[in-house]
Amino acid sequence: MFSVGIVGTGSYVPENIVTNVDLEKMMDTNDEWITSRTGIRKRHFAAEDMPVSELCYIAGLRALEDAKLAPEDVDLIIVATITPDYAFPATACLVADRLGAKKAAAFDLEAGCTGFIYGVATASQFVATGMYKNVLVIGGETMSKILNWEDRATCILFGDGAGAAVLQPVEEGYGFLSFELGSDGSGGKLLCQPAGGSMNPTSLETVEKKLHTLQMAGSEVYKFGVRIMGDVVGKLLEKAGLTHEDVDLLIPHQANIRIIDAAVKRLGISPNKVVINLDKYGNMSAASIPVALDESFKEGRLAEGDTVVMVGFGTGLTWGACVLRWRKVGLKE
């Protein structure tokens, strides 16, 4: 079994920026109310004719360039998203074609905001066993396309973007040290898109009732997020034989500043070790963590040997976390 790590990262957010002040012109809300309750000041929205595959393509290309890999070297592409181009074919297949990754297997993975964590956990198994050497994992979303603009409690929260990582075998002692994944389907209706599947096929009635938009029980999801982020990181570190003092950088899902602050307090991790960028992007679902990871590296917050924890939660309900010892160099053949 090979040790598996991340050897390249990349990200992309659309150019169009929507601030809280812009939202004031669209609905009954204001900048102070949004900022104080969520920590979000602005978000990026894709153009109407820009599908999520385009965001994923750009982020994926940048990750491959960072890893010094050609698209034809990629063995597998996993795209984590809840806003795919189509119900089928898989967005990952479209991205593979766009990249020119002719040898790559490809599939989509749906775990909501936990999608990137589920993605790297899945990808690492292919690499650890030696089945594949180069796997590209992308978390991408166009959340703006499934928002109900009459629901001011949810539409203020989300943004669009994509982040990517290249996984390869790495030197023993580096890379992923532990994963912790979980789900609770009994809470599935707390955060969902009710129509468009086999439960509620598309009809005039489902469209009129806006059942193809995101719907969320905010207070229940908030309480779930605060509890589960602390719990899952605690279990993760214990499994890896580490403590909160060993963590050099914590990259949480960027859902709400109050959720992050409460979870960090429970864990006893110093706030200056926590990556927060939701003020710029809002909640980008599966893209939040990989975008934050890419920015952290580019800003010099990641050094070789650092212990990095990534943790997320989302629709499903799902949750997941991983810890890795950072070294962005693949195993030499």
Side-chain angles (χ1 to χ4, degrees):
M1 298 285 283
F2 294 98
S3 297
V4 184
I6 292 174
V7 300
T9 63
S11 62
Y12 174 75
V13 293
E15 294 180 2
N16 181 37
I17 297 174
V18 178
T19 67
N20 293 345
V21 175
D22 293 327
L23 294 181
E24 289 179 1
K25 304 169 186 176
M26 301 169 57
M27 64 193 72
D28 182 17
T29 190
N30 62 75
D31 175 55
E32 190 280 330
W33 189 91
I34 297 173
T35 304
S36 63
R37 286 163 176 78
T38 69
I40 300 166
R41 297 183 181 277
K42 56 186 178 180
R43 67 288 291 149
H44 293 244
F45 285 168
E48 288 187 10
D49 61 351
M50 177 178 277
V52 74
S53 62
E54 183 67 12
L55 280 66
C56 292
Y57 159 72
I58 298 171
L61 184 63
R62 290 175 176 176
L64 291 177
E65 290 172 347
D66 186 45
K68 297 178 174 57
L69 279 182
E72 54 266 28
D73 295 325
V74 179
D75 300 306
L76 171 66
I77 297 175
I78 300 173
V79 170
T81 186
I82 58 170
T83 55
D85 284 23
Y86 308 102
F88 59 90
T91 298
C93 293
L94 305 179
V95 174
D97 178 63
R98 186 91 160 79
L99 286 169
K102 301 297 186 182
K103 297 192 307 179
F107 63 86
D108 288 357
L109 184 154
E110 183 188 315
C113 304
T114 324
F116 182 73
I117 302 297
Y118 268 64
V120 292
T122 302
S124 69
Q125 312 309 309
F126 287 98
V127 180
T129 60
M131 181 173 178
Y132 292 137
K133 181 181 177 183
N134 302 310
V135 181
L136 176 62
V137 180
I138 308 170
E141 304 287 9
T142 49
M143 298 300 294
S144 63
K145 298 179 186 290
I146 62 167
L147 297 178
N148 178 359
W149 293 101
E150 295 177 3
D151 181 8
R152 63 175 183 165
T154 60
C155 67
I156 64 171
L157 300 174
F158 296 92
D160 302 342
V166 176
L167 274 65
Q168 277 185 3
V170 296
E171 184 181 333
E172 188 175 351
Y174 292 94
F176 292 101
L177 306 179
S178 182
F179 292 97
E180 183 71 28
L181 306 175
S183 70
D184 178 8
S186 68
K189 291 184 178 180
L190 296 177
L191 178 53
C192 67
Q193 185 180 16
S198 59
M199 177 72 76
N200 291 306
T202 304
S203 67
L204 180 60
E205 182 182 13
T206 63
V207 173
E208 289 177 339
K209 291 184 176 180
K210 299 184 182 300
L211 298 181
H212 297 267
T213 60
L214 179 147
Q215 298 188 12
M216 179 172 69
S219 61
E220 287 86 349
V221 173
Y222 177 92
K223 288 183 285 188
F224 163 71
V226 170
R227 175 181 59 81
I228 204 65
M229 283 226 289
D231 289 351
V232 70
V233 172
K235 292 178 181 177
L236 175 81
L237 294 175
E238 182 179 357
K239 185 185 293 186
L242 301 171
T243 71
H244 69 275
E245 295 177 349
D246 297 311
V247 177
D248 296 301
L249 199 68
L250 173 68
I251 304 177
H253 169 50
Q254 306 289 306
N256 181 300
I257 192 63
R258 292 182 175 182
I259 294 177
I260 295 173
D261 287 346
V264 169
K265 186 176 181 180
R266 285 189 66 187
L267 288 166
I269 292 175
S270 172
N272 61 18
K273 295 181 177 181
V274 183
V275 177
I276 296 175
N277 65 6
L278 84 168
D279 57 316
K280 300 186 293 183
Y281 305 124
N283 181 346
M284 295 186 291
S285 187
S288 286
I289 292 174
V291 169
L293 174 66
D294 183 49
E295 287 193 340
S296 296
F297 175 71
K298 288 180 170 58
E299 292 169 0
R301 297 190 67 179
L302 277 168
E304 181 170 325
D306 278 356
T307 298
V308 184
V309 171
M310 296 183 280
V311 56
F313 67 95
T315 181
L317 296 166
T318 59
W319 57 89
C322 60
V323 57
L324 68 158
R325 187 156 292 125
W326 187 257
R327 192 185 187 205
K328 226 161 105 315
V329 179
L331 191 65
K332 303 299 181 184
E333 294 185 5

